[in-house]
Amino acid sequence: MGMYPEYMVAPIREDLTSAGFEQLMTAEEVEQALSSKEGTVLVAVNSVCGCAASKARPALKMAVASSEKRPSKMVTVFAGMEQDAVAKAREFMLPYPPSSPSIALFKDGELVHMIERYHIEGNELNRIVDNLQGAFEAYC
């Protein structure tokens, strides 16, 4: 059971799933998605907070929609809801501390780019988009 009622988070989940992100609900799903040693995986740690709504999710959608190079796979976990899935995703993101929202890019099973909450909440939307596009260009 998550911290929030599902009816409240359903539209927030859909904000990313409608843009092509797969919602991971279990630790096993996260393990399977992030253990791949081939290709790139973009992971969004989604959240109900204002900076996720005003910056993280819009930046993710804009960067993916406007980039020539894109990750092979895009997944999301929801902080405050599926705790085991989020905990497993954060294990893969070490040594970075838990951060919601956050965005991680993996290439061939290795973490290659990380955007923490403090990079999101205190930044302009276009700078976050540029950051993501630069990571896509470098690693995808």
Side-chain angles (χ1 to χ4, degrees):
M1 181 82 182
M3 293 175 55
Y4 310 102
E6 183 59 35
Y7 72 85
M8 183 176 148
V9 299
I12 301 170
R13 289 184 200 277
E14 188 178 344
D15 197 17
L16 289 180
T17 59
S18 66
F21 284 79
E22 177 186 355
Q23 178 69 56
L24 303 179
M25 305 295 277
T26 67
E28 293 77 20
E29 290 174 343
V30 172
E31 180 79 36
Q32 183 178 6
L34 298 184
S35 292
S36 174
K37 299 297 182 197
E38 292 183 15
T40 51
V41 182
L42 181 64
V43 181
V45 179
N46 203 350
S47 172
V48 298
C49 73
C51 63
S54 65
K55 295 184 180 178
R57 291 192 302 272
L60 283 159
K61 293 186 299 185
M62 289 170 65
V64 167
S66 62
S67 296
E68 287 185 29
K69 292 186 175 184
R70 293 182 191 95
S72 310
K73 184 174 186 122
M74 301 182 305
V75 300
T76 182
V77 294
F78 205 109
M81 292 302 288
E82 293 76 36
Q83 296 174 5
D84 292 342
V86 173
K88 180 55 77 176
R90 287 178 170 158
E91 285 178 24
F92 281 91
M93 295 175 191
L94 290 173
Y96 293 95
S99 178
S100 304
S102 60
I103 303 164
L105 182 64
F106 293 83
K107 180 174 182 157
D108 300 333
E110 299 293 324
L111 178 62
V112 293
H113 192 75
M114 184 75 184
I115 301 175
E116 298 175 84
R117 179 187 176 107
Y118 77 91
H119 294 120
I120 297 168
E121 69 181 335
N123 221 333
E124 294 177 16
L125 179 61
N126 288 335
R127 289 187 61 164
I128 301 165
V129 172
D130 290 345
N131 183 324
L132 286 165
Q133 289 176 328
F136 297 168
E137 188 65 32
Y139 299 109
C140 296

